Amino acid sequence: MTTAIEREYGFSAAARILGVSESKLRYWSQSGFIGPSLRRAGRQVYSFQDLVSVRAAKELVDRGFQPASIRKALEQVRMKLPSVDRPLDKLRVAWDGSSLSLVDGGVTFEVSGQRRFDFGLSELADRAAEISALTGTSRAPNATAAEPIAPLGAYQWFSRGLDKEALPEEAAAAEECYRKALESDPGLAAAHTNLGGLAYRRGDVARARTEFEAALSLDPEQPEARYNLASILYQQGEIERAASELRRVVQQSPWFADAHYNLATALEKLGSKHQAADHLHRYIDLESQKPAAPSPWLKEAQARLAGRV
């Protein structure tokens, strides 16, 4: 018998379980705030532990904390407690009415709080089991279908852009949506990141670089934009700067496997073979822990370490 904790959930099911719109979950994932950790047949899916983390993040957002502040606190936890890969479901969360802190035993990150709350894991498991039973016989409704036909704000335009970007023939429409989002909120770094991805896929590398740099000027902690910028820098022969950017990525997001792989490649190019080997080892460790099918680069990384490449 499969328990709720052993199941996996797509965006639609997760939206129903958590009481969050599907488009908001996709927005949080795409913007690098919080999202699913698993992939199945090329699709992102949530584990139950992912749901716990998102539930906790939602509680914090509902209490007025900004996603950037929550993510910063999580990054500090991950750096100081590398064995804790999902701090929001392992640690207690505390706040003093205005500031967020994460507490693990006697260690406090950010500001120590006066009040604590938990996230009803039993209730969440029951809800997950209920939704799984329902979706086993019928398709979960698409949460985005109930959204306004004519989005007015940055979030709505960004969400529509995500929907369009999923269809290759809608790339131009997706770009327009992201630009509308930026008109509404010029500080929306994730929109620049996605515009950079669209530009890169159509072969406009210069525009892609500009967009990734714009994203980082607004949100220096966004790993996806920095990773993509580093890839362009490497292609353009700026190997040292590419390595520097990738170092920042793995420092901020040590679980970012592909960043370790690319950093190893850049370091090898610069002659730092021992450091490169360290990052290849880290890449192999991260990829080997994934329950989904391993990356096609895993065997090549193993061969490089063995001196066969």
Side-chain angles (χ1 to χ4, degrees):
M1 179 178 178
T2 302
T3 66
I5 293 178
E6 294 170 336
R7 293 192 181 103
E8 297 168 359
Y9 312 86
F11 280 98
S12 181
R16 297 182 68 191
I17 293 167
L18 298 165
V20 181
S21 71
E22 182 178 343
S23 58
K24 179 159 287 188
L25 288 181
R26 291 184 182 278
Y27 170 70
W28 282 353
S29 177
Q30 185 72 25
S31 62
F33 173 40
I34 193 164
S37 65
L38 305 178
R39 279 190 178 273
R40 294 289 182 264
R43 299 178 59 214
Q44 290 182 298
V45 294
Y46 293 84
S47 67
F48 181 77
Q49 290 297 93
D50 292 333
L51 295 184
V52 175
S53 292
V54 178
R55 167 78 175 273
K58 176 182 179 293
E59 294 282 349
L60 293 171
V61 170
D62 290 346
R63 283 166 172 76
F65 296 106
Q66 295 299 313
S69 298
I70 299 169
R71 188 174 66 189
K72 183 179 179 181
L74 297 184
E75 299 294 353
Q76 291 183 346
V77 175
R78 288 184 174 114
M79 288 177 65
K80 296 180 181 180
L81 297 177
S83 63
V84 179
D85 58 354
R86 294 187 182 88
L88 282 178
D89 61 71
K90 300 288 182 62
L91 306 181
R92 301 286 293 178
V93 184
W95 78 98
D96 62 3
S98 62
S99 300
L100 166 69
S101 65
L102 298 173
V103 184
D104 175 58
V107 181
T108 300
F109 303 89
E110 298 281 319
V111 180
S112 62
Q114 302 302 315
R115 301 164 59 194
R116 289 178 173 78
F117 54 91
D118 61 47
F119 302 105
L121 299 190
S122 176
E123 174 192 346
L124 183 62
D126 290 344
R127 179 65 177 160
E130 175 187 346
I131 294 300
S132 293
L134 290 173
T135 56
T137 56
S138 62
R139 183 178 182 274
N142 186 342
T144 59
E147 292 182 359
I149 295 175
L152 299 176
Y155 161 67
Q156 289 86 357
W157 279 117
F158 185 89
S159 297
R160 178 164 285 194
L162 291 178
D163 291 338
K164 297 290 185 183
E165 192 175 348
L167 305 171
E169 67 274 14
E170 295 284 356
E175 181 172 346
E176 180 65 18
C177 288
Y178 293 139
R179 297 208 178 280
K180 290 285 188 182
L182 286 168
E183 288 176 11
S184 181
D185 179 5
L188 186 56
H192 281 294
T193 300
N194 289 8
L195 284 170
L198 288 168
Y200 186 84
R201 288 194 287 277
R202 69 169 180 266
D204 191 345
V205 178
R207 169 52 58 183
R209 178 170 176 168
T210 297
E211 295 291 355
F212 294 140
E213 289 174 338
L216 290 170
S217 71
L218 294 169
D219 182 4
E221 297 181 8
Q222 191 180 103
E224 183 180 354
R226 195 171 298 283
Y227 171 82
N228 289 334
L229 174 61
S231 297
I232 290 176
L233 291 170
Y234 184 89
Q235 293 169 17
Q236 294 180 337
E238 298 182 50
I239 311 300
E240 289 189 8
R241 187 179 167 195
S244 176
E245 298 292 350
L246 287 166
R247 284 187 190 280
R248 290 190 63 177
V249 174
V250 299
Q251 287 170 358
Q252 294 171 345
S253 306
W255 59 93
F256 198 148
D258 287 350
H260 283 284
Y261 184 93
N262 285 6
L263 178 54
T265 301
L267 289 170
E268 285 177 349
K269 196 83 170 178
L270 294 170
S272 301
K273 296 188 180 299
H274 290 298
Q275 291 183 41
D278 290 340
H279 288 285
L280 283 176
H281 278 297
R282 182 61 176 147
Y283 170 79
I284 291 168
D285 289 343
L286 289 168
E287 282 295 323
S288 299
Q289 293 171 17
K290 292 182 179 179
S295 164
W297 300 109
L298 180 58
K299 288 185 178 180
E300 180 168 333
Q302 293 168 333
R304 286 166 64 178
L305 278 176
R308 297 194 299 270
V309 175

